[in-house]
Amino acid sequence: MLDTTAEYCEAEVMADCVIGTLLLPDKQDVRLDTFSLTYYLDRNRLLLIDREEHLPALISMGKQAGFPECQDVFQIFFSLLEHLIQGDMVLLQNYEKRLSTMEDAIETAFPKELQRSITSGRRGLLRLLSFYQQLVDMCVILSENGSDLFPPEYRQHFSRLQARADRLYDHTQILREYALQIRELYQSQMDLKQNDTMRLLTVVTTIFLPLTLLTGWYGMNFTHMPELAHPFSYFILIAICLLIIGGEIWFFRKKGWL
């Protein structure tokens, strides 16, 4: 009995048939699977085996792939494989636009959900990357036509489909590297922001350190402290503190720390 729970795309060529599985990603959210199915193909029939709840989606996919117009089971099978990557170049272009938007957002702000979006996008691209690689491997096996199951013209058809899947694989790999660069850019920008914050806190702490020393010094309340008896000592101390703060701010600005 065939296992209908597929975990990858594969094709196993027998003497008079082809048996394999297909794992179909959801184009709305490629991190998920629309459904998976097991197929059996010989010269007279094509069997698609799947769970009952996926039957409406499978019928809909068959109509979109043009099954009713196909003249034989080989054309149906090839149309099914071709339908799996139909419109995927547009899908990858949309991914590229999303990544470009994320890159622009890094330069202007740091939204909290940005890192989650980058991670989610990379996982989705990884899922597509695996799917295209498996489809390329399938097409290589089918184009060899080792058992002469397919008519001769389908060798060229599968080779053409392999080339399309290979181009999608290369494009997806580039987008994954782009997403990785965006994540590194995001992390570097966050590090710079944290460094600026730490520098500001250090400067503020340094500015108020002499003031803390002064308040601690005159808070000792010794009996014989001549400054305490002076009528203007309070205002003199305020002036000294303001002078110290002004001098420190001038020095820090000169050094470029503020």
Side-chain angles (χ1 to χ4, degrees), residues 211-223:
L211 307 184
T212 304
L213 176 62
L214 287 175
T215 55
W217 184 273
Y218 285 100
M220 292 185 291
N221 292 327
F222 287 117
T223 303

Side-chain angles (χ1 to χ4, degrees), residues 54-232:
H54 295 156
L55 184 60
L58 186 59
I59 294 175
S60 175
M61 185 183 68
K63 292 179 179 179
Q64 294 175 4
F67 287 180
E69 291 78 18
C70 295
Q71 299 178 356
D72 54 45
V73 293
F74 302 114
Q75 189 176 0
I76 292 176
F77 181 66
F78 178 76
S79 299
L80 171 63
L81 296 182
E82 193 173 37
H83 177 73
L84 297 182
I85 58 175
Q86 185 176 0
D88 280 19
M89 186 56 70
V90 176
L91 174 67
L92 295 180
Q93 289 174 352
N94 291 334
Y95 257 100
E96 187 172 358
K97 292 179 181 178
R98 285 176 53 192
L99 292 175
S100 179
T101 301
M102 293 178 189
E103 185 177 14
D104 294 338
I106 292 175
E107 297 178 356
T108 57
F110 294 93
K112 295 181 180 180
E113 67 277 3
L114 183 59
Q115 187 172 11
R116 188 182 305 112
S117 298
I118 296 174
T119 303
S120 176
R122 291 189 70 247
R123 289 176 180 173
L125 290 171
L126 178 61
R127 195 64 176 272
L128 284 176
L129 197 68
S130 176
F131 170 69
Y132 294 141
Q133 180 62 62
Q134 294 167 13
L135 193 60
V136 167
D137 294 340
M138 276 188 60
C139 291
V140 170
I141 294 174
L142 295 173
S143 63
E144 292 175 353
N145 198 15
S147 61
D148 294 327
L149 176 66
F150 296 95
E153 63 269 17
Y154 279 91
R155 181 184 183 92
Q156 182 178 359
H157 293 339
F158 286 123
S159 297
R160 175 169 53 85
L161 186 61
Q162 173 195 343
R164 287 181 57 191
D166 205 15
R167 288 193 296 270
L168 291 171
Y169 176 88
D170 292 339
H171 195 175
T172 306
Q173 182 66 34
I174 293 174
L175 290 179
R176 286 201 75 240
E177 294 175 356
Y178 183 29
L180 179 60
Q181 293 174 359
I182 293 176
R183 189 179 68 173
E184 292 176 349
L185 175 61
Y186 175 84
Q187 188 62 46
S188 63
Q189 292 291 338
M190 289 296 297
D191 292 341
L192 288 175
K193 186 177 180 181
Q194 291 176 356
N195 290 339
D196 290 341
T197 302
M198 292 301 297
R199 183 174 60 182
L200 178 61
L201 293 175
T202 302
V203 169
V204 171
T205 302
T206 305
I207 288 175
F208 285 95
L209 185 60
L211 307 184
T212 304
L213 176 62
L214 287 175
T215 55
W217 184 273
Y218 285 100
M220 292 185 291
N221 292 327
F222 287 117
T223 303
H224 302 287
M225 294 184 71
E227 296 87 349
L228 297 179
H230 196 282
F232 300 106

Side-chain angles (χ1 to χ4, degrees), residues 9-36:
C9 300
E10 67 170 349
E12 186 173 352
V13 179
M14 306 293 187
D16 55 354
C17 67
V18 175
I19 299 176
T21 57
L22 291 174
L23 187 66
L24 312 181
D26 186 350
K27 299 302 175 64
Q28 301 300 323
D29 187 353
V30 294
R31 295 172 302 171
L32 306 175
D33 298 328
T34 303
F35 55 86
S36 59

